[in-house]
Amino acid sequence: MNLNQITIPSVDVPRAVTFYQTLGLQLIVDASPRYVRFLCPQGHSTLSIRQVEELPTGLGIKICFECEKIDQEVARLKAQGISFTLDPTDQTWLWREAHLNDPDGNALILFWAGENRVNPPWRAN
């Protein structure tokens, strides 16, 4: 089994399209303003955005994008006006992460974990 796609809500799909294109995702389905789908720049995973009247409340989802050159990518995105809530930081779980939110408040994490992503020292056998 392989995780192929995640769908997230947006109250303003065109605004979300601009944001995710700035992150580097490629728009592959455009049924704006109700639905769009992107292809991630590496691999075959897709991210869809569907229009909603209002955003859900409470704890939401976090979308993690793996990025080997995380410091350079954060600098590139900041130069394009993207704000981060956490600059690249080494975490105790052996990932380097940067946190941001998309225009609808969905939580995103850019990270690099290398081999520790699937084989951390505390991996269950």
Side-chain angles (χ1 to χ4, degrees):
M1 187 179 308
N2 183 38
L3 178 61
N4 173 269
Q5 177 172 312
I6 295 173
T7 302
I8 61 171
S10 175
V11 294
D12 187 342
V13 172
R15 179 182 66 175
V17 167
T18 299
F19 177 84
Y20 283 97
Q21 285 179 319
T22 301
L23 289 186
L25 281 70
Q26 177 189 2
L27 185 65
I28 59 171
V29 174
D30 188 352
S32 292
R34 64 174 185 77
Y35 177 85
V36 294
R37 186 178 322 133
F38 295 93
L39 179 64
C40 290
Q42 297 176 332
H44 296 95
S45 297
T46 58
L47 173 71
S48 296
I49 301 172
R50 64 179 171 80
Q51 182 182 36
V52 295
E53 291 297 317
E54 64 181 61
L55 296 169
T57 59
L59 294 176
I61 60 169
K62 289 185 181 178
I63 303 171
C64 299
F65 292 103
E66 191 171 25
C67 177
E68 185 171 359
K69 297 181 179 177
I70 187 170
D71 293 86
Q72 295 91 328
E73 185 63 10
V74 169
R76 180 188 77 80
L77 293 169
K78 282 184 170 185
Q80 294 189 40
I82 303 292
S83 297
F84 283 78
T85 58
L86 178 70
D87 284 330
T89 303
D90 292 330
Q91 303 293 343
T92 59
W93 47 91
L94 306 178
W95 294 24
R96 185 160 179 78
E97 295 183 356
H99 297 190
L100 65 155
N101 294 310
D102 75 5
D104 290 290
N106 294 303
L108 308 180
I109 298 173
L110 301 184
F111 79 96
W112 179 248
E115 187 64 25
N116 290 315
R117 183 174 71 80
V118 294
N119 290 308
W122 47 83
R123 178 181 168 146
N125 290 324

